[in-house]
Amino acid sequence: MTIQDSGFMMEDGLSCLPCTPEEQKKIVIDLRNESERNLKEGNLYFVISSRWFRKWERYVRIDADANLIGNQSSDSRHTNVASSMVAEMPGAIDNSDIVQNGSDCNCKENAIQLRRNLMEGRDYALVPQRVWEKLHEWYKGGPALPRKMILQGVYHRTFDVEVYPLRLKLIDSRDESQSVIWLSRKASLSELFQRVCALRGIEQNKARIWDYFNKRKHTQLSASNRSLEESNLQMDQDILLEEVDGHHSSRFGLDSTGNELALVSMEPSRSSFTIAGGPTLSNGHSSGFKSNQYPGSSLSSGLKDTDDGFDAYNTVRKGEKRGLAGLQNLGNTCFMNSALQCLVHTPPLVEYFLKDYSDEINTENPLGMHGELALAFGELLRKLWSSGQTAIAPRVFKGKLARFAPQFSGYNQHDSQELLAFLLDGLHEDLNRVKEKPYIELKDADGRPDEVVAAESWKNHKARNDSVIVDVCQGQYKSTLVCPVCNKISITFDPFMYLSLPLPSTITRTMTVTVFYGDGSGLPMPYTVSVLKNGFCKDLLLALRTACCLKTDENLLLAEVYENKIYRYLEMPLEPLASIKDDEHIVAFRIQKKGMEKTKLVIFHRWQEKSTTDYLKSGKELFGTPLITYLGEDQPSGADIETAVSKVLSPFKRMHSSAKAHVGKGSDFLSDGLDELCSSSDAQSIENAEFEGALSTDLSLRLLLTDDRVMNFKAFKKDTLFEPGKILSVVMDWTDKEQGLYDASYLKDIPEVHKAGFAAKKTRKEAISLSSCLDAFLVEEPLGPDDMWYCPRCKEHRQAVKKLDLWMLPEIIVFHLKRFTYGRYLKNKIDTFVNFPIHNLDLSKYVKNKDGQSYVYELYAISNHYGGLGGGHYTAYAKLIDENRWYHFDDGHVSPVNESDIKTSAAYLLFYKRVNESKMEIGESSYSHSTS
């Protein structure tokens, strides 16, 4: 038999691969696992192009849905060949698609720059140093792109590879020359001084370096152990170098008349920050607010108001509108800017943070951030309400965010809803009035009235959680679980801070799936069903169950067939149907539930050519649809496999055929890489040259063990035993005899999911209402198989039926429209237009607690997302309540917008405020609303 050549001659003709694909795979996985066991700061990782790395993964047969990269782009189905197919060797490592042409960097380790806005998984993979060394030894190529691992966070310490180090633009005031410096954001200011002085040829004691953000002198930096991140230095910002020996005078920092501006040091102050009285400069002069407007006491802080573009020169002027300041984009921070603008235009929060909240700062809460997040947010809110229309750069706030929530550090795009959830929870813990949380034992409802149980639950919640966020943003819902076996009912009342609403689609798609019988009890049949376009695999399975009259003791195994092999199994109930394209071929196998824990058998088909005398020869064309069945025996044998194949093929028997199965004499056969499946020593290796004619076996069917790529083969006998529980694959060679006995047409030409006609109608633009989203959120539905509930009566986990009801609504209610769906094979965004009311949103009919309160709401802010996943752009609409007018906040740009234009398909987060009992309009006053 011809053994596959494992050597690989590279283009330069100098290097060969010494390892087989299987050996490479094992080496890399072992090295990766070893690296994960020894994580530490400073470890080196290397960036590799996903385009090349996926080729290597396919070559070594790393499964597409469990690959080393992790995330994949949504079009991976069309760019990736099935993992079971024969893959070519990847060639030399090629990172050319992820690096920029040329370099403006002066440090050797970063001499080659990565393209901006790359995403891990989609654009690149990260591999440990030893993995890179092996890959480079085998394949050569490059260029090498090393990156260091850093330690992120304060309380929740996480390791992260710093793919994009901090890029600083150095301006030398002596000759106005410009250079670029790359340093880790965890590097110290001392390291920055050393790098700058070495680059510009200046003695360190004569160098003065300024934080020159936005071409303005902010902080004079001093050589210390403080990190660049703690100093709030941002990607691509300027720093200014001055020489202080008196021979060079800088023209930087001068006003239009040539006089030096008053420069205020931005080093952290210990006592010059006041919560009350508005922003205060370090010299003690008020920046525009009078202390009698918002009386209160002072609180020490490390924040300074002259940072982030705010100082005495851009404070609000008489007659200038407040609340119209934009937020500068600091590098993919539009998600943060959008969420912040919605929060800082929330009337009760504006009122709260413009007053004295010093007594409510909780510095001892282990679940909080020692009050630092609340201080940073409050400081930023006051700036935004005090700077007229001058854009603010939220550098201090972003630094705090990176420190306490490292998942938002760096310069990647993130989700505004995830940030909002963190901010609301973090602000609550920092402002929690409860300093010591009491232990409270939860009680079951036990048939008590809902009003009693709800009041008890809220009282217990307030005993541990009491803050302005709870007062304003938290409501309560009722959760009912019913056991499907014993009918045990469990009722709990839980708090919520926002509601995540599904988007129920009204547009359907037709999908055709061919259903095969796993036990051979019937012929395959195509079924065309109608499902929601934005539905999930569970919806398709439900429709198929009804269409094919599935029995209660049966399950459906869903799979995609590609090039006569199983490309993937669609086993995740929440896999979006958008991952299944119209031109694909989907099959389902009816399987007995009780047998699905046994050994799975996959049966491939190929033609046995008359001229071929080599029974084990590979390379013949596969045909038809693979069949799947399960072997019921605890330790299956070769005879069991033959019986199962015969049984599953029995529906295909031709009625007129009189062909008899020929049973020959036994023989020994070649073993080719599949010995681990067998526990019998009956099958021993022999040379292909021994096969001169047609082989005879003790099997009536021409079956060979194979792998999922149908590349390697091994013969077996009836008494060959196999390890139970594993997936076995066999290939059946069809000759004229089998063709005469079985009708193979049932295996071929299965229909596509959807065959578009020439006169196909254009899909109509879909629109749904906010009320339909609420209805979908509150609908009764069974829990998923991965979310079972432990029934205290049955003492077992059950797939209970769950029902949610709204019990108490807060003053501020936030609706999160779930536009993003995540499956194993696809990440999808739903761009459906949701029609939501701007005025008079009456939620009374949804509230089960009939307490006589009004639940009528007015919209005041929207967080929008435009574009696709992993990128796109966030903006915000917010109502300036003083003048009852809407504005569009697009990072630093703020412009008025008509109320009729704010309803778009980009709406992602909707912010509503309850209208007071007195019917007071939401626009009467910015600071007169009570936090009821």
Side-chain angles (χ1 to χ4, degrees):
M1 177 178 180
T2 302
I3 305 298
Q4 184 180 1
D5 184 13
S6 63
F8 176 39
M9 185 64 67
M10 307 293 288
E11 290 182 2
D12 57 15
L14 298 177
S15 178
C16 292
L17 289 181
C19 301
T20 65
E22 289 74 17
E23 289 170 336
Q24 289 183 48
K25 175 182 176 180
K26 184 179 186 306
I27 290 171
V28 167
I29 290 178
D30 288 346
L31 290 176
R32 182 195 61 177
N33 292 338
E34 180 185 349
S35 175
E36 290 177 352
R37 290 192 296 267
N38 297 282
L39 294 178
K40 62 182 179 181
E41 200 168 11
N43 283 358
L44 271 185
Y45 279 71
F46 283 74
V47 183
I48 301 182
S49 166
S50 288
R51 185 176 64 181
W52 183 89
F53 198 67
R54 286 197 184 110
K55 290 179 181 177
W56 177 82
E57 283 189 318
R58 292 197 296 271
Y59 174 60
V60 302
R61 299 173 56 208
I62 290 179
D63 190 40
D65 59 335
N67 57 23
L68 300 182
I69 294 180
N71 299 323
Q72 294 192 52
S73 62
S74 60
D75 63 349
S76 61
R77 165 61 181 84
H78 299 284
T79 58
N80 288 356
V81 182
S83 62
S84 61
M85 295 176 60
V86 180
E88 296 181 356
M89 297 179 185
I93 298 171
D94 182 8
N95 287 331
S96 61
D97 62 318
I98 60 172
V99 299
Q100 293 182 357
N101 294 327
S103 171
D104 58 359
C105 182
N106 292 282
C107 44
K108 293 181 180 179
E109 63 268 28
N110 291 109
I112 302 174
Q113 298 179 52
L114 285 174
R115 283 173 39 219
R116 292 300 184 92
N117 300 318
L118 299 178
M119 288 183 61
E120 185 178 1
R122 184 190 69 184
D123 302 304
Y124 67 85
L126 290 170
V127 298
Q129 181 177 3
R130 294 187 63 191
V131 171
W132 163 260
E133 290 170 349
K134 276 295 179 185
L135 291 174
H136 192 260
E137 173 189 331
W138 295 330
Y139 295 97
K140 302 298 186 281
L145 301 169
R147 294 295 186 267
K148 287 185 179 180
M149 176 168 279
I150 59 176
L151 194 56
Q152 297 272 72
V154 177
Y155 304 115
H156 305 287
R157 306 285 274 173
T158 60
F159 288 105
D160 188 25
V161 177
E162 190 176 28
V163 175
Y164 288 99
L166 194 60
R167 182 177 185 266
L168 300 173
K169 299 176 183 177
L170 172 65
I171 301 175
D172 192 333
S173 64
R174 298 172 298 176
D175 56 7
E176 301 187 22
S177 63
Q178 297 190 19
S179 310
V180 174
I181 290 180
W182 293 81
L183 275 173
S184 168
R185 58 181 181 267
K186 296 296 183 181
S188 67
L189 290 175
S190 294
E191 293 176 74
L192 175 64
F193 266 78
Q194 293 171 8
R195 181 69 60 84
V196 168
C197 293
L199 176 64
R200 301 305 300 166
I202 184 174
E203 296 180 24
Q204 189 164 325
N205 59 356
K206 295 182 179 180
R208 182 165 60 185
I209 302 178
W210 289 91
D211 175 354
Y212 201 53
F213 184 80
N214 282 349
K215 294 291 193 297
R216 292 177 54 253
K217 288 183 177 179
H218 290 272
T219 308
Q220 180 179 332
L221 305 175
S222 60
S224 66
N225 290 328
R226 192 180 188 192
S227 72
L228 305 186
E229 184 175 55
E230 292 170 330
S231 303
N232 298 319
L233 297 182
Q234 302 297 315
M235 180 71 79
D236 292 326
Q237 82 154 75
D238 296 319
I239 55 175
L240 178 65
L241 171 65
E242 292 180 336
E243 191 171 12
V244 294
D245 61 357
H247 296 297
H248 295 86
S249 61
S250 172
R251 297 196 299 107
F252 295 83
L254 304 180
D255 62 18
S256 59
T257 65
N259 297 318
E260 187 171 356
L261 297 176
L263 299 172
V264 183
S265 172
M266 287 308 302
E267 290 301 316
S269 167
R270 291 178 173 77
S271 61
S272 63
F273 171 78
T274 61
I275 274 187
T280 303
L281 299 179
S282 61
N283 59 10
H285 296 293
S286 172
S287 62
F289 285 106
K290 294 182 179 179
S291 60
N292 59 0
Q293 282 184 293
Y294 310 106
S297 60
S298 63
L299 176 72
S300 297
S301 171
L303 304 175
K304 290 296 294 184
D305 294 278
T306 50
D307 196 10
D308 296 343
F310 180 90
D311 59 22
Y313 296 99
N314 60 18
T315 54
V316 64
R317 298 176 178 86
K318 185 176 181 180
E320 193 172 15
K321 297 175 183 177
R322 291 183 294 175
L324 292 181
L327 288 166
Q328 290 188 32
N329 193 314
L330 303 178
N332 280 332
T333 56
C334 58
F335 77 97
M336 179 181 77
N337 295 344
S338 174
L340 285 173
Q341 290 289 7
C342 293
L343 282 181
V344 301
H345 286 86
T346 298
L349 297 185
V350 175
E351 178 184 10
Y352 180 86
F353 283 100
L354 286 179
K355 288 184 177 180
D356 177 16
Y357 58 97
S358 58
D359 289 341
E360 298 198 340
I361 294 291
N362 190 335
T363 60
E364 301 173 0
N365 187 354
L367 299 179
M369 282 139 272
H370 298 299
E372 292 186 47
L373 183 67
L375 286 173
F377 176 80
E379 175 65 7
L380 181 60
L381 181 145
R382 285 195 303 280
K383 292 177 186 179
L384 291 170
W385 279 92
S386 307
S387 64
Q389 292 184 258
T390 302
I392 300 297
R395 295 196 297 162
V396 172
F397 183 83
K398 184 177 184 298
K400 295 294 183 185
L401 194 63
R403 185 169 177 231
F404 294 111
Q407 65 268 31
F408 299 115
S409 63
Y411 301 95
N412 290 329
Q413 184 69 278
H414 295 282
D415 190 325
S416 66
Q417 185 272 331
E418 292 177 0
L419 176 66
L420 176 72
F422 168 79
L423 287 179
L424 290 176
D425 186 62
L427 290 174
H428 157 64
E429 297 295 355
D430 270 4
L431 299 170
N432 197 346
R433 302 171 186 120
V434 179
K435 301 301 189 280
E436 294 185 9
K437 296 187 177 185
Y439 170 76
I440 298 174
E441 187 173 352
L442 299 179
K443 300 178 182 178
D444 197 14
D446 284 335
R448 293 180 293 164
D450 285 348
E451 291 77 9
V452 173
V453 180
E456 178 183 82
S457 298
W458 188 252
K459 179 183 177 182
N460 292 340
H461 176 64
K462 288 277 287 186
R464 296 172 55 85
N465 303 276
D466 186 16
S467 70
V468 63
I469 303 300
V470 175
D471 296 340
V472 171
C473 301
Q474 287 196 1
Q476 189 182 37
Y477 64 78
K478 174 186 175 182
S479 175
T480 304
L481 290 169
V482 180
C483 178
V485 177
C486 70
N487 292 321
K488 163 71 176 176
I489 299 176
S490 172
I491 296 176
T492 58
F493 290 85
D494 303 301
F496 68 85
M497 204 134 46
Y498 53 88
L499 297 176
S500 292
L501 307 183
L503 273 58
S505 176
T506 58
I507 294 180
T508 60
R509 64 182 289 199
T510 57
M511 302 183 71
T512 299
V513 178
T514 304
V515 178
F516 288 79
Y517 286 82
D519 60 359
S521 59
L523 286 169
M525 179 69 68
Y527 292 92
T528 299
V529 295
S530 181
V531 291
L532 292 174
K533 182 180 178 182
N534 293 325
F536 302 91
C537 279
K538 66 176 184 178
D539 303 315
L540 176 59
L541 286 169
L542 184 62
L544 285 173
R545 292 179 72 95
T546 303
C548 70
C549 301
L550 198 72
K551 299 176 183 177
T552 56
D553 61 347
E554 290 180 310
N555 266 342
L556 285 176
L557 179 61
L558 211 59
E560 179 188 347
V561 174
Y562 182 66
E563 294 197 350
N564 310 114
K565 301 174 187 175
I566 300 295
Y567 176 78
R568 55 172 172 159
Y569 293 101
L570 296 161
E571 297 177 295
M572 292 181 64
L574 295 181
E575 177 70 30
L577 290 180
S579 69
I580 302 175
K581 309 303 179 187
D582 284 347
D583 61 349
E584 295 173 356
H585 298 85
I586 303 298
V587 297
F589 299 93
R590 300 178 66 144
I591 306 292
Q592 293 288 324
K593 290 181 179 178
K594 62 181 181 180
M596 295 189 74
E597 297 179 357
K598 302 291 184 178
T599 302
K600 181 191 290 186
L601 178 66
V602 183
I603 306 159
F604 298 100
H605 314 277
R606 66 176 182 176
W607 292 113
Q608 173 69 38
E609 300 173 5
K610 291 182 180 179
S611 59
T612 301
T613 59
D614 183 356
Y615 185 35
L616 301 178
K617 182 179 178 181
S618 65
K620 300 189 206 56
E621 290 292 327
L622 294 176
F623 79 93
T625 303
L627 299 176
I628 295 177
T629 187
Y630 282 82
L631 304 175
E633 293 71 19
D634 290 334
Q635 186 168 23
S637 65
D640 297 325
I641 290 178
E642 183 182 41
T643 300
V645 174
S646 297
K647 185 177 180 181
V648 81
L649 286 176
S650 60
F652 307 123
K653 280 189 175 180
R654 298 181 188 273
M655 298 301 295
H656 63 275
S657 175
S658 60
K660 302 287 185 179
H662 173 73
V663 180
K665 295 181 179 180
S667 181
D668 293 330
F669 300 97
L670 177 70
S671 174
D672 185 13
L674 298 166
D675 294 288
E676 70 278 2
L677 294 172
C678 302
S679 57
S680 169
S681 59
D682 290 337
Q684 63 185 32
S685 300
I686 61 174
E687 295 296 326
N688 278 342
E690 297 182 19
F691 292 88
E692 296 294 335
L695 292 177
S696 60
T697 78
D698 66 348
L699 299 176
S700 59
L701 297 174
R702 302 172 70 89
L703 300 173
L704 293 172
L705 284 177
T706 187
D707 51 32
D708 57 0
R709 294 197 301 174
V710 198
M711 285 294 298
N712 301 303
F713 306 94
K714 174 182 167 51
F716 61 93
K717 290 184 176 183
K718 287 185 177 181
D719 60 353
T720 304
L721 298 178
F722 300 92
E723 187 176 342
K726 288 198 172 186
I727 299 176
L728 294 175
S729 297
V730 297
V731 61
M732 175 177 166
D733 279 323
W734 289 61
T735 63
D736 289 342
K737 185 186 74 171
E738 284 77 25
Q739 178 69 6
L741 182 63
Y742 301 105
D743 187 352
S745 64
Y746 290 105
L747 298 172
K748 298 185 289 187
D749 301 324
I750 60 174
E752 298 177 350
V753 168
H754 180 71
K755 192 73 172 179
F758 291 105
K761 294 182 179 179
K762 186 177 180 180
T763 304
R764 63 183 175 88
K765 193 73 174 179
E766 184 180 19
I768 58 178
S769 66
L770 182 63
S771 60
S772 66
C773 297
L774 265 169
D775 292 337
F777 174 74
L778 299 172
V779 73
E780 181 179 278
E781 61 179 357
L783 296 175
D786 298 327
D787 191 25
M788 306 280 272
W789 169 66
Y790 183 79
C791 176
R793 183 180 293 169
C794 296
K795 307 296 184 184
E796 289 187 30
H797 285 90
R798 301 294 189 191
Q799 198 168 349
V801 176
K802 184 176 183 178
K803 176 72 170 72
L804 293 178
D805 292 295
L806 300 180
W807 185 261
M808 180 178 64
L809 298 185
E811 178 182 356
I812 299 297
I813 188 167
V814 181
F815 294 113
H816 164 223
L817 304 179
K818 296 173 68 173
R819 294 195 176 276
F820 303 122
T821 57
Y822 303 91
R824 180 183 298 182
Y825 303 99
L826 182 78
K827 299 176 181 179
N828 186 48
K829 183 190 175 186
I830 303 172
D831 287 315
T832 302
F833 174 75
V834 178
N835 189 13
F836 49 87
I838 299 174
H839 305 284
N840 300 318
L841 171 63
D842 191 353
L843 298 176
S844 302
K845 68 175 182 178
Y846 295 102
V847 182
K848 296 300 181 182
N849 178 24
K850 305 304 179 183
D851 54 2
Q853 287 197 53
S854 171
Y855 291 105
V856 179
Y857 288 81
E858 298 277 338
L859 185 73
Y860 71 88
I862 307 172
S863 175
N864 302 302
H865 180 268
Y866 300 89
L869 285 165
H873 183 59
Y874 287 91
T875 68
Y877 291 128
K879 193 173 187 179
L880 194 62
I881 301 171
D882 279 337
E883 57 178 289
N884 194 31
R885 187 172 183 182
W886 286 88
Y887 285 86
H888 183 215
F889 294 83
D890 186 356
D891 289 331
H893 181 70
V894 181
S895 59
V897 62
N898 293 326
E899 185 174 270
S900 59
D901 295 330
I902 66 172
K903 295 167 73 169
T904 72
S905 59
Y908 184 45
L909 301 174
L910 304 175
F911 292 73
Y912 283 88
K913 183 187 184 303
R914 189 166 62 207
V915 179
N916 287 350
E917 298 275 354
S918 61
K919 305 297 183 183
M920 178 179 67
E921 292 295 329
I922 194 171
E924 282 185 22
S925 171
S926 295
Y927 316 115
S928 59
H929 300 295
S930 62
T931 56
S932 56

